[in-house]
Amino acid sequence: ANAIGGPDEIRFESTLFGSDRVLELSQGELRVTDSLEVIGQGLHLTTLLGNGASRIIRFDAPEGDLTLRDLTLRGGRSSADDISGSTSGGAVHFESSGRLLLDSVALVDNRVSGVGARGGAIFVGSGDLEIDRSFLTNNSTSGVDGRGGAVFVANGALAIRDSKISENQTEEDGAKGGAVFGGHVTIERSKVTGNQTTGRSSDGGAIFSTQNLSLTDSAVTGNRSLGSESDGGGVFASDVLSLVRSDVSGNETLGRYAAGGGLAFDSAVVTITDSSITNNRTNGEFARARNFCGAERCHDHEQHVVDERCRRRFNGWWRHRRFLFRCGVDLYDGDRECGCRQRWWHCLHER
């Protein structure tokens, strides 16, 4: 495909791939330098297998798109101590100003190891990533300061739709985003469950966002951060966080001094609409806030938002419409615990 200029297509024909077929890479990763679409016969029928020996696909071009449809990428592996990311992406490494699209694809058992490991399954250094109707399961990074147990997107936009992301993890200290690490992250009609970070100061058991994170009609459940000072068992958001008709529940932090069993956010603007943040836990010594924690205050109460929106700007106050917040056990402000000033906290109206 690289020898001929312009977009190309590789299609696995039904006459050969009408039943379960596994193509094991014996000569290392597939290198692509021009726009390409790879179409299988179904994620249960067509599998590209790295067998733990090499990455599966590497796309390197100044521009161009890579599209993967109806197949499984399993057992990709990349290993090196390279914080630049050039050796990251256990299944797919994408460097282009274009778009990487995964449509009805399963990424399973892919791994990156080494200092600064990025993207256990997918690494996108430039360009955008779209994931539709796909499954990302049991992918991981292992190495200090790793990022994104399943997915890492450095600069572009990440959109995940109608997908399930489960049982992914980052290992070692300072590794963030057990499943997903990105800047501009949009997740719609998807389930993110059973992911974790394990090291010290490893925030975001499932998702770590450095800029904008939007969750719509989605669930973030049963995720964990295990290490000390590892905030956000479910989600860590650094800038803007929006929840719309979504559920953040059953997540937890287990380490000492960890905060925000469900959500943690740092200097962020948070908007919550018709969503729930419930049954999250912080179990470590000196841990704070079972359900959510911000830069100025952490909250143990369960929050059910059923009307209009909640917007939090970190000037010390919540603003909301037509509903109340219950303080719960304690209120955390900066480095001092100040306790609840009253059982029901009547906030300012956003009018």
Side-chain angles (χ1 to χ4, degrees):
N2 295 328
I4 302 174
D8 295 291
E9 179 183 289
I10 297 175
R11 183 183 296 269
F12 296 96
E13 294 295 340
S14 58
T15 54
L16 297 176
F17 292 88
S19 60
D20 186 4
R21 295 294 181 91
V22 177
L23 285 77
E24 182 175 346
L25 303 183
S26 60
Q27 302 296 320
E29 66 188 12
L30 305 174
R31 303 207 62 157
V32 182
T33 58
D34 203 355
S35 291
L36 176 66
E37 183 171 5
V38 181
I39 305 172
Q41 286 297 310
L43 55 85
H44 298 297
L45 296 176
T46 309
T47 298
L48 302 182
L49 181 65
N51 206 26
S54 73
R55 181 188 293 117
I56 298 173
I57 299 175
R58 183 184 184 101
F59 187 101
D60 271 314
E63 57 186 22
D65 302 328
L66 174 62
T67 298
L68 306 175
R69 299 186 192 273
D70 300 317
L71 49 81
T72 292
L73 305 181
R74 181 189 295 272
R77 174 72 181 268
S78 179
S79 177
D81 292 341
D82 181 6
I83 202 165
S84 72
S86 63
T87 57
S88 289
V92 180
H93 182 104
F94 184 81
E95 285 281 5
S96 170
S97 61
R99 179 189 67 167
L100 170 60
L101 170 63
L102 279 62
D103 184 7
S104 192
V105 172
L107 293 114
V108 184
D109 298 335
N110 302 288
R111 182 177 179 86
V112 177
S113 60
V115 175
R118 303 297 199 248
I122 304 170
F123 172 91
V124 177
S126 56
D128 301 328
L129 170 61
E130 295 185 24
I131 300 173
D132 293 327
R133 302 181 298 169
S134 295
F135 300 88
L136 286 78
T137 301
N138 201 33
N139 305 286
S140 65
T141 65
S142 176
V144 174
D145 293 326
R147 299 286 187 270
V151 176
F152 175 89
V153 178
N155 300 308
L158 167 60
I160 300 171
R161 295 177 287 261
D162 304 303
S163 297
K164 184 176 181 180
I165 303 175
S166 62
E167 310 301 328
N168 305 285
Q169 71 173 4
T170 61
E171 303 169 4
E172 304 292 346
D173 294 346
K176 304 182 188 299
V180 173
F181 185 101
H184 302 281
V185 181
T186 300
I187 300 176
E188 299 176 345
R189 303 179 301 279
S190 296
K191 186 173 183 178
V192 184
T193 184
N195 306 284
Q196 65 180 22
T197 62
T198 63
R200 181 178 179 272
S201 299
S202 296
D203 304 324
I207 302 167
F208 190 104
S209 170
T210 61
Q211 297 183 59
N212 303 317
L213 171 61
S214 173
L215 288 163
T216 303
D217 297 315
S218 295
V220 180
T221 61
N223 304 284
R224 306 187 299 172
S225 63
L226 305 183
S228 62
E229 302 176 44
S230 297
D231 298 340
V235 173
F236 189 98
S238 298
D239 193 357
V240 177
L241 171 63
S242 172
L243 301 180
V244 179
R245 297 183 300 276
S246 292
D247 174 39
V248 180
S249 63
N251 306 284
E252 63 180 339
T253 62
L254 296 175
R256 300 176 79 234
Y257 299 103
L263 300 173
F265 28 90
D266 183 15
S267 301
V269 175
V270 180
T271 302
I272 304 172
T273 306
D274 298 338
S275 299
S276 63
I277 306 170
T278 61
N279 298 319
N280 301 285
R281 298 182 296 174
T282 51
N283 289 324
E285 187 179 14
F286 307 118
R288 311 182 306 279
R290 291 188 299 272
N291 283 299
F292 60 103
C293 181
E296 296 183 10
R297 290 187 172 87
C298 295
H299 301 265
D300 281 327
H301 66 273
E302 294 184 356
Q303 178 185 356
H304 298 272
V305 181
V306 295
D307 187 27
E308 294 295 333
R309 68 175 57 187
C310 158
R311 175 163 297 200
R312 174 71 198 271
R313 290 187 180 276
F314 283 107
N315 56 7
W317 293 98
W318 285 88
R319 293 187 174 92
H320 64 94
R321 293 179 181 173
R322 296 199 298 280
F323 57 86
L324 302 174
F325 289 98
R326 184 179 180 183
C327 264
V329 178
D330 66 2
L331 188 68
Y332 195 86
D333 188 358
D335 291 326
R336 64 184 187 279
E337 293 186 14
C338 52
C340 271
R341 298 178 182 176
Q342 53 189 5
R343 185 169 179 81
W344 291 96
W345 187 16
H346 296 261
C347 302
L348 301 176
H349 284 276
E350 192 184 71
R351 295 185 184 278

